[in-house]
Amino acid sequence: MADDPLEVPLAVLAPPSPPSWRRRVALVLAVLSCPVWLPLAITLLLLFTILGTPALLGWLALFRPKLLRGLPRDVRFIARLVQATRQLNARMKSTRGAFTTADYFAEVVARHGNKPALVFEDETLTYAQVDAQSDRMAAWAVDIARLEPGDAVALLCGNRPEHLFCWLGLTKRGITTTLIPTAIRGEALSRALRECGVRVASVRATCRTTDTLVHIFTSGTTGMPKAARLTHLRFFSAIVLPYMFNLGSDDKLYCCLPMCHTAAIGAFSICWWLGIPMVLARKFSASTFWKDVATNECTVVQYVGELCRYLVHAPPSEHERSHRVRLFFGNGLRPDVWPRLVSRFGIPRVGEVYASTEGNANLANTENHPGAVGFISPLLKPLYPVCLMRLAPETAEPGCARDGAGALLRGPDGLGVPCQPGEPGELLGKLSACLQVDQRDASRNFAGYTDREATRRKLVFDVLKRGDCWFRTGDLLQADADGFVYFVDRMGDTYRYKGENVSTAEVAAVLGGIAHLRVAQCVVYVRRGGTAWRYGVAVPHVDGRVGMAALEMEIGAPAPDMARLYAALDEQLPPYAHPRFIRLLRGTTPIETTQTFKPKKAALQAAGCDPRLTGGDDLFVRDAAARSFVPLSATEHAALVSGARRALD
């Protein structure tokens, strides 16, 4: 077996396929019967179109009005998707799969060479100038560094134009770049270099669309980051977003995200396609954000993670309402932050998407529908390359139930069970039988990780039919009756308490939305212990695991009234979903985040509810009799764990 997991067809990992002679016989019969069934099929299709469509619409209006209500949305979405897909397929067909990022940028320079491409502080570079600077890097790679096509190079660089020059120049020579986060140090850095194989590899004759453009590390909020492959096709497929959110040649995009992250890399593709400039910031700063946006006359802002939460909790700025921004787009905007962002800053439209660095299960909320990450049309559900599937309760499935991911619920036929409206389930993205084939289809692209076992764990088979293969996102989502889809939680962040499932994301959204509390950031988590994932805090006489919440207050905010907090939670959550412990973070212990502003939970999980491990932070425990959260001292904690104190209610 090859060392590179991506050179191994998915068929090697999949269940045995039917004998080839059956497929050959079926093909022969299909060809022989073609003169008979083809005219008949065309005739039936025309009759259905002429006679059946009005009848279908009438039936829907009478019996399924909710399905019909979403029809205009679905038509708009399909029209935009067809436009973008046509562009993708045209390049693939004309180059026979050899269209690369270097070819893409050459097209852009030919069309928009004299237009501004990159604005960084006081410097503005045109597309032609970016092309020239990247050519210098390409020349250095060959003439001085003696690199060859197929080599892998690591790039550790902050947000600045040289970051783009480097990886763009290297890809012109068929060299893969590993984008290293600037915060990485020591053994973690050594591990990253080893994992991505930063060394001279086998020389390949030509560069293909399915080859790796860059390696990008996942955020690693609860575990070690994994190096994901971003192919040339994946980079180019970002052009679908301008069609989805009506971006045009007059727009100007503001990006303050780390350039080593997928979102920032994809933003370049968007700007290139439209021939518009990207205004690049060195880093995100809540205090200077609106000044940068207003001064540069940006019309589109890209966000990720908790960036928007920082903005709504920042002190007022004279520029926060004097901007030209018409669209915020990105992923990770919490439902409790959404209305506050729109109302405070006067944002006309939010384009929330569901996407991941490596995954192929992508959704887009093109309708400005608050809280949703996208939609799956109930009318067209079979055509979508994604699905929501129910999970088996408290079970494990060998081979595909790793990293805290539960097994799919299976029916009597051995296949998965789709979710009904309002029912949470794991989002899956469809793959074909061969990974190489999938990589030519942007909607089903999963290039995998550099770690073969990590790639294998992300696959699940026999979901909707025998022999199919799907990518596991590890995320719980749910759809409403209209097809709008909402993020629920990471599967590793849900836990059971007294026989009930609790979503940490739901609890965090409620806590963050309590106005009088003045929370700057809230993280709800469960304890990680031992070598395996064990959720919550083990407490005697308690069924299941116990959740906690860490609260970081706004600057100048008073200490929260714990009785009012209890009452607010009681109004919005069932008792079993209340956090049993609350950790009030002091100013010296802020919540640590990733480079994309996602909170890290590992340190919080490790400390749990032990006052000896929380660095002097105030701890509180839920007291149902007092209808409040009361202080938890070291003595009280010891009594609780030993069983001397009555167990939690």
Side-chain angles (χ1 to χ4, degrees), residues 527-552:
R527 188 177 181 182
R528 181 185 183 183
T531 56
W533 283 90
R534 301 180 62 198
Y535 302 118
V537 180
V539 178
H541 314 300
V542 173
D543 173 23
R545 294 283 167 175
V546 181
M548 293 187 63
L551 303 182
E552 183 180 328

Side-chain angles (χ1 to χ4, degrees), residues 24-44:
R24 293 170 184 166
V25 170
L27 179 62
V28 170
L29 292 176
V31 172
L32 292 176
S33 62
C34 184
V36 177
W37 61 258
L38 187 57
L40 179 62
I42 294 174
T43 302
L44 291 175

Side-chain angles (χ1 to χ4, degrees), residues 153-155 163 167 176-181 184 191-192 195-196 212-220 224-232 234-235 258-268 356-359 446-451 595-596 598:
V153 174
L155 173 61
H163 191 286
W167 67 256
T176 299
T177 308
T178 295
L179 305 182
I180 304 293
I184 198 168
R191 179 180 176 274
E195 185 174 336
C196 292
T212 303
L213 169 63
V214 292
H215 290 118
I216 296 179
F217 283 87
T218 59
S219 59
M224 292 298 292
K226 298 186 289 290
R229 302 169 186 266
L230 190 142
T231 65
H232 296 275
R234 187 67 174 268
F235 177 79
M259 293 182 72
C260 60
H261 188 263
T262 314
I265 296 296
F268 279 116
S356 61
T357 298
E358 71 279 30
F446 171 53
Y449 310 101
T450 54
D451 184 322
Q595 283 200 335
T596 52
K598 297 176 183 177

Side-chain angles (χ1 to χ4, degrees), residues 298-594:
C298 297
T299 59
V300 178
V301 170
Q302 187 183 27
Y303 67 85
V304 71
E306 294 289 82
L307 182 152
C308 297
R309 185 183 295 277
Y310 292 127
L311 289 177
V312 299
H313 287 290
S317 165
E318 61 178 305
H319 301 284
E320 67 180 44
R321 300 284 297 195
S322 62
H323 56 78
R324 297 180 53 201
V325 175
R326 64 178 187 85
L327 171 69
F328 259 58
F329 84 94
N331 70 298
L333 178 57
R334 298 288 185 92
D336 59 308
V337 177
W338 189 309
R340 298 156 76 181
L341 176 80
V342 170
S343 62
R344 175 175 172 180
F345 304 118
I347 307 300
R349 187 180 185 191
V350 174
E352 173 76 3
V353 301
Y354 176 88
S356 61
T357 298
E358 71 279 30
N360 70 334
N362 304 312
L363 298 169
N365 179 356
T366 58
E367 301 300 302
N368 203 22
H369 190 79
V373 300
F375 56 87
I376 301 175
S377 168
L379 283 173
L380 306 174
K381 187 180 295 186
L383 302 180
Y384 277 70
V386 297
C387 64
L388 288 170
M389 304 301 294
R390 293 178 60 187
L391 294 173
E394 301 293 321
T395 60
E397 180 182 346
C400 67
R402 313 282 182 85
D403 292 338
L408 297 186
L409 181 66
R410 301 283 181 175
D413 56 1
L415 301 178
V417 180
C419 293
Q420 298 301 312
E423 186 177 43
E426 184 179 5
L427 182 68
L428 306 181
K430 190 173 185 179
L431 295 164
S432 298
C434 176
L435 193 57
Q436 281 72 22
V437 172
D438 295 336
Q439 287 184 297
R440 298 188 186 99
D441 184 345
S443 67
R444 301 183 183 182
N445 176 263
F446 171 53
Y449 310 101
T450 54
D451 184 322
R452 177 187 300 164
E453 184 58 28
T455 300
R456 187 188 303 268
R457 288 198 299 264
K458 281 292 189 178
L459 306 178
V460 63
F461 303 98
D462 300 334
V463 175
L464 295 181
K465 64 179 182 179
R466 292 291 178 186
D468 64 5
C469 180
W470 297 73
F471 166 80
R472 301 195 69 172
T473 64
D475 287 334
L476 291 174
L477 291 87
Q478 67 182 30
D480 62 19
D482 291 325
F484 283 105
V485 180
Y486 305 85
F487 180 82
V488 176
D489 213 346
R490 291 287 300 169
M491 287 170 60
D493 286 341
T494 57
Y495 63 98
R496 291 182 68 81
Y497 182 69
K498 293 192 173 182
E500 300 285 353
N501 290 321
V502 181
S503 163
T504 61
E506 179 185 8
V507 178
V510 170
L511 282 166
I514 300 175
H516 69 79
L517 201 59
R518 293 183 62 186
V519 174
Q521 177 140 299
C522 169
V523 175
V524 178
Y525 56 98
V526 284
R527 188 177 181 182
R528 181 185 183 183
T531 56
W533 283 90
R534 301 180 62 198
Y535 302 118
V537 180
V539 178
H541 314 300
V542 173
D543 173 23
R545 294 283 167 175
V546 181
M548 293 187 63
L551 303 182
E552 183 180 328
M553 311 306 294
E554 291 182 357
I555 297 175
D561 183 325
M562 288 299 172
R564 288 186 69 190
L565 171 59
Y566 184 102
L569 286 173
D570 215 29
E571 289 178 358
Q572 302 183 59
L573 291 173
Y576 66 80
H578 290 201
R580 262 45 190 180
F581 299 95
I582 288 183
R583 177 176 173 180
L584 196 60
L585 298 173
R586 298 181 182 274
T588 55
T589 55
I591 296 173
E592 187 180 3
T593 62
T594 68

Side-chain angles (χ1 to χ4, degrees), residues 83-420:
Q83 285 181 292
T85 303
R86 189 175 295 166
Q87 298 293 341
L88 292 168
N89 292 340
R91 266 87 181 160
M92 294 296 293
K93 184 177 180 180
S94 62
T95 64
R96 296 184 179 181
F99 185 73
T100 67
T101 302
D103 301 318
Y104 176 24
F105 191 68
E107 280 189 7
V108 173
V109 174
R111 294 201 314 266
H112 308 294
N114 294 325
K115 291 183 179 180
L118 190 62
V119 179
F120 181 73
E121 297 177 345
D122 296 327
E123 182 181 16
T124 299
L125 296 166
T126 66
Y127 280 98
Q129 289 172 322
V130 171
D131 188 44
Q133 292 292 341
S134 60
D135 281 345
R136 290 183 60 194
M137 173 54 64
W140 168 86
V142 174
D143 300 336
I144 299 177
R146 303 298 181 188
L147 298 173
E148 297 179 338
D151 289 356
V153 174
L155 173 61
L156 196 157
C157 179
N159 276 25
R160 53 190 299 172
E162 288 78 8
H163 191 286
L164 172 61
F165 302 159
C166 286
W167 67 256
L168 179 57
L170 290 171
T171 197
K172 290 181 177 182
R173 296 296 188 180
I175 298 165
T176 299
T177 308
T178 295
L179 305 182
I180 304 293
T182 55
I184 198 168
R185 298 287 188 276
E187 176 55 30
L189 176 58
S190 300
R191 179 180 176 274
L193 297 177
R194 291 194 303 269
E195 185 174 336
C196 292
V198 179
R199 65 187 190 281
V200 175
S202 300
V203 177
R204 56 181 178 240
T206 59
C207 192
R208 307 282 298 174
T209 307
T210 53
D211 287 336
T212 303
L213 169 63
V214 292
H215 290 118
I216 296 179
F217 283 87
T218 59
S219 59
T221 53
T222 55
M224 292 298 292
K226 298 186 289 290
R229 302 169 186 266
L230 190 142
T231 65
H232 296 275
L233 173 62
R234 187 67 174 268
F235 177 79
F236 184 61
S237 64
I239 70 167
V240 72
L241 290 175
Y243 291 94
M244 293 298 172
F245 298 119
N246 299 319
L247 275 66
S249 58
D250 295 329
D251 281 311
K252 206 172 188 180
L253 189 149
Y254 182 77
C255 179
C256 58
L257 309 179
M259 293 182 72
C260 60
H261 188 263
T262 314
I265 296 296
F268 279 116
S269 184
I270 293 170
C271 291
W272 294 1
W273 182 249
L274 299 171
I276 63 174
M278 174 193 286
V279 178
L280 178 68
R282 284 189 182 271
K283 62 179 181 179
F284 167 71
S285 170
S287 61
T288 62
F289 180 90
W290 288 112
K291 181 180 179 180
D292 287 349
V293 169
T295 302
N296 288 286
E297 299 185 328
C298 297
T299 59
V300 178
V301 170
Q302 187 183 27
Y303 67 85
V304 71
E306 294 289 82
L307 182 152
C308 297
R309 185 183 295 277
Y310 292 127
L311 289 177
V312 299
H313 287 290
S317 165
E318 61 178 305
H319 301 284
E320 67 180 44
R321 300 284 297 195
S322 62
H323 56 78
R324 297 180 53 201
V325 175
R326 64 178 187 85
L327 171 69
F328 259 58
F329 84 94
N331 70 298
L333 178 57
R334 298 288 185 92
D336 59 308
V337 177
W338 189 309
R340 298 156 76 181
L341 176 80
V342 170
S343 62
R344 175 175 172 180
F345 304 118
I347 307 300
R349 187 180 185 191
V350 174
E352 173 76 3
V353 301
Y354 176 88
S356 61
T357 298
E358 71 279 30
N360 70 334
N362 304 312
L363 298 169
N365 179 356
T366 58
E367 301 300 302
N368 203 22
H369 190 79
V373 300
F375 56 87
I376 301 175
S377 168
L379 283 173
L380 306 174
K381 187 180 295 186
L383 302 180
Y384 277 70
V386 297
C387 64
L388 288 170
M389 304 301 294
R390 293 178 60 187
L391 294 173
E394 301 293 321
T395 60
E397 180 182 346
C400 67
R402 313 282 182 85
D403 292 338
L408 297 186
L409 181 66
R410 301 283 181 175
D413 56 1
L415 301 178
V417 180
C419 293
Q420 298 301 312

